């Protein structure tokens, strides 16, 4: 599929074997809830896009996100050292997205934020199916990390769902892939290949609800001889289809709806996640937290991304169950008004 939006102004919906070449949101026939056709200003204001790259290993955890929210460009990056409990984290908010650029091609292009001597950059290379994260901070922190979906072969989760009365959300997820590269920081210098690190990647965009919330979970690592990745969500992508899935050695296995059981007031207490179809039953123990709170009236966010370890079981149909024993990953609790 070359473009997500068809000639009649309507999106393609469903699960896709491959990513669309372009998320051509400007061609969307965007209407008000009462059916009035909306113009270029409304299309710009309501379209939101974000990309996330996560690093997962027993020695180092990291995350970096970039978001285009029309009225602001937002980015964050953090590194967590489990052995010492030490953490580096930075946040950036740029009015109207000045200092940022965002490609609408999920597998090809650059998303970047620059603020002073700080740069967060995510590169997607279509020809090689490689993803790369480059972070340069004014305190000397440097991250250069990447992975490939081609070697060994990996099947990403590519999905577009209707959202509310007049929107849609495209999501493309990857987890359970080997990560290579280098990290230099006050936490130490790390070779990601030597750490046997894994990566998670999320590319999402669309016309999301103006006020929304979601929970999310992701893990990556090895379970016995298998490479395992997991992506679960409750909220946003649930109309007609879900984004819930896990991967075994790069093979995508879909999962039904998932219930997240946790204490919103005490997010560092254990979380539990179970799927309606019985394929997923997991418990999560927190080890650290990155959080942001913002309330500007027209925009607001209450965001918690927690990193820690998962235990439990995956039960793929017609295959032996997979025991998850203290694999590292993330959970998230997000409220946003935009």
């Amino acid at each position: 599929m070359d473009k997500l939006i068809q000639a009649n102004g309507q999106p393609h919906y469903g699960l896709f074997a491959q990513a669309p070449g372009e998320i051509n949101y400007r061609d969307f026939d965007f209407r008000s809830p009462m059916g009035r056709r909306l113009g270029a200003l409304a299309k710009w204001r309501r379209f939101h896009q974000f990309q996330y790259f996560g690093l997962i290993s027993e020695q180092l955890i990291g995350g970096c996100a970039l978001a285009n929210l029309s009225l602001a460009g937002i980015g964050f990056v953090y590194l967590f050292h489990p052995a010492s409990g030490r953490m580096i984290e930075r946040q950036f908010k740029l009015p109207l997205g000045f200092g940022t650029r965002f490609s609408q091609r999920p597998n090809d292009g650059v998303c970047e934020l620059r603020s002073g001597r700080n740069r967060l950059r995510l590169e997607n290379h279509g020809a090689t199916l490689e993803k790369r994260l480059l972070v340069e901070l004014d305190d000397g922190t440097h991250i250069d990390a990447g992975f490939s979906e081609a070697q060994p072969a990996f099947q990403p989760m590519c999905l577009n769902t209707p959202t509310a009365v007049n929107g849609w959300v495209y999501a493309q997820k990857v987890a359970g892939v080997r990560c290579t590269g280098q990290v230099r920081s006050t936490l130490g210098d790390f070779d990601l290949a030597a750490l046997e690190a894994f990566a998670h990647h999320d590319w999402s965009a669309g016309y999301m609800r103006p006020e929304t919330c979601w929970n999310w979970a992701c893990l990556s690592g090895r379970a016995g001889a298998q490479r395992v990745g997991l992506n679960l969500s409750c909220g946003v992508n649930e109309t007609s289809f879900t984004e819930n899935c896990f991967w075994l050695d790069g093979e995508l296995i879909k999962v039904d709806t998932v219930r997240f059981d946790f204490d919103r007031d005490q997010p560092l207490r254990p979380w539990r996640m179970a799927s309606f179809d019985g394929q997923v039953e997991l418990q999560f123990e927190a080890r650290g937290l990155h959080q942001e709170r913002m309330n500007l009236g027209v925009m607001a966010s209450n965001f918690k991304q927690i990193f820690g370890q998962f235990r439990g079981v995956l039960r793929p149909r017609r295959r032996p169950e997979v025991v998850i024993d203290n694999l590292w990953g993330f959970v998230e609790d997000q409220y946003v008004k935009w």
Side-chain angles (χ1 to χ4, degrees), residues 5 10 15 22 31 37 49 54 69 92-93 98 126 144 167 175-176 192 209 220 234 240 261 269 321 336:
I5 307 302
Q10 298 304 307
L15 286 160
E22 180 183 357
R31 304 290 183 102
R37 183 172 277 112
Q49 175 181 348
L69 306 183
F92 304 93
K93 296 178 176 66
F98 293 128
D144 188 350
L192 297 176
R209 294 177 182 87
S220 291
C234 183
S240 304
D261 184 9
R269 297 189 66 181
E321 70 177 29
V336 63

Side-chain angles (χ1 to χ4, degrees), residues 190-209:
F190 301 90
D191 183 308
L192 297 176
L195 296 184
E196 298 186 336
F198 284 80
H200 165 76
H201 187 259
D202 176 352
W203 198 107
S204 296
Y207 289 90
M208 305 171 193
R209 294 177 182 87

